[in-house]
């Protein structure tokens, strides 16, 4: 958490801090998190309804920021896509990034691995995907906003796949045609759905 906001809020009076709570739509998620923590440390209680509204705003802001980053990244990742019938047919960098962010990094890693011919390189990419996914889930269960943390971590994992491993194993300048993702998408949705159902019943 930003030291700037922590140093700022500790100097604010209780009334000034409550101004953030009462008009939370005007302030950034980072400031609101610090305000809530500061008020709690002073012994003030915040209603469940207020906390829910604040948390909803924080989640929405983080989701919007992540979507903006993905949109910017996807534009730069489309530069090597061509229609030349002689170009290799690959699952795109955009697909790898999106699958990683939405379904967890392991899904993006498998998609990228399907583009790679060398078995050892395939396995290395999949291991990276497993490690990122495991880290996201384990740490996500310990933080205040697990959904945002898991999404950000998986997005970071996807970015690593398309920036590091794609460049290393496929080539940053490789021109390619995009391979349809309908089958991997259906499989990913089914697997994710089954896992969610299992979690709900547990």
């Amino acid at each position: 958490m930003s030291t700037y906001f922590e140093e700022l809020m500790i100097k604010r009076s209780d009334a000034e801090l409550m101004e953030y709570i009462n008009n939370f739509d005007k302030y950034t998620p980072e400031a609101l998190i610090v305000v809530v923590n500061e008020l709690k440390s002073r012994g003030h209680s915040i209603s469940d309804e207020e906390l829910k509204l604040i948390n909803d705003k924080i989640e929405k802001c983080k989701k919007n920021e992540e979507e903006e980053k993905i949109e910017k990244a996807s534009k730069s990742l489309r530069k090597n896509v061509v229609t030349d019938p002689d170009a290799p047919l690959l699952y795109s960098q955009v697909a790898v990034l999106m699958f990683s962010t939405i379904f967890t990094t392991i899904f993006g890693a498998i998609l990228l691995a399907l583009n790679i011919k060398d078995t050892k390189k395939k396995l290395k990419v999949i291991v990276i995907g497993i490690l990122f996914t495991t880290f996201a889930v384990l740490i996500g269960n310990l933080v205040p906003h697990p959904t945002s943390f898991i999404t950000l971590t998986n997005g970071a994992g996807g970015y690593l796949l398309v920036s590091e491993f794609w460049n290393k194993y496929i080539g940053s300048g490789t021109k390619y045609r995009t391979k349809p993702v309908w089958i991997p998408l259906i499989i990913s949705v089914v697997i994710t759905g089954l896992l969610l159902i299992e979690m709900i019943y547990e």
Side-chain angles (χ1 to χ4, degrees), residues 82-152:
V82 297
T83 56
D84 185 344
D86 293 326
L89 193 61
L90 303 174
Y91 291 114
S92 70
Q93 289 177 293
V94 173
V96 172
L97 181 60
M98 294 301 293
F99 270 66
S100 298
T101 305
I102 296 171
F103 298 110
T104 70
T105 310
I106 183 60
F107 288 88
I110 291 172
L111 214 59
L112 176 57
L114 291 171
N115 290 337
I116 301 170
K117 295 180 180 179
D118 186 274
T119 302
K120 289 184 178 180
K121 293 175 181 177
K122 282 179 182 283
L123 291 176
K124 187 172 183 180
V125 167
I126 291 173
V127 168
I128 292 297
I130 292 172
L131 290 175
F132 257 88
T133 302
T134 303
F135 173 78
V137 173
L138 291 178
I139 305 300
N141 290 328
L142 303 176
V143 299
H145 306 288
T147 303
S148 296
F149 177 84
I150 291 173
T151 301
L152 289 170

Side-chain angles (χ1 to χ4, degrees), residues 36-121:
V36 170
N37 291 336
E38 180 62 24
L39 283 170
K40 286 182 178 179
S41 71
R42 297 183 188 185
H44 291 275
S45 61
I46 302 171
S47 71
D48 292 338
E49 184 178 352
E50 288 174 324
L51 279 176
K52 184 180 184 305
L53 289 172
I54 291 170
N55 286 331
D56 286 346
K57 180 194 173 173
I58 291 170
E59 292 286 342
K60 185 178 179 180
C61 287
K62 289 184 177 179
K63 184 178 179 181
N64 289 341
E65 288 175 1
E66 187 61 29
E67 288 176 350
E68 287 176 5
K69 289 179 182 177
I70 291 172
E71 185 178 353
K72 289 179 182 178
S74 66
K75 288 180 180 178
S76 65
L77 295 176
R78 291 190 183 101
K79 64 183 180 180
N80 288 327
V81 175
V82 297
T83 56
D84 185 344
D86 293 326
L89 193 61
L90 303 174
Y91 291 114
S92 70
Q93 289 177 293
V94 173
V96 172
L97 181 60
M98 294 301 293
F99 270 66
S100 298
T101 305
I102 296 171
F103 298 110
T104 70
T105 310
I106 183 60
F107 288 88
I110 291 172
L111 214 59
L112 176 57
L114 291 171
N115 290 337
I116 301 170
K117 295 180 180 179
D118 186 274
T119 302
K120 289 184 178 180
K121 293 175 181 177

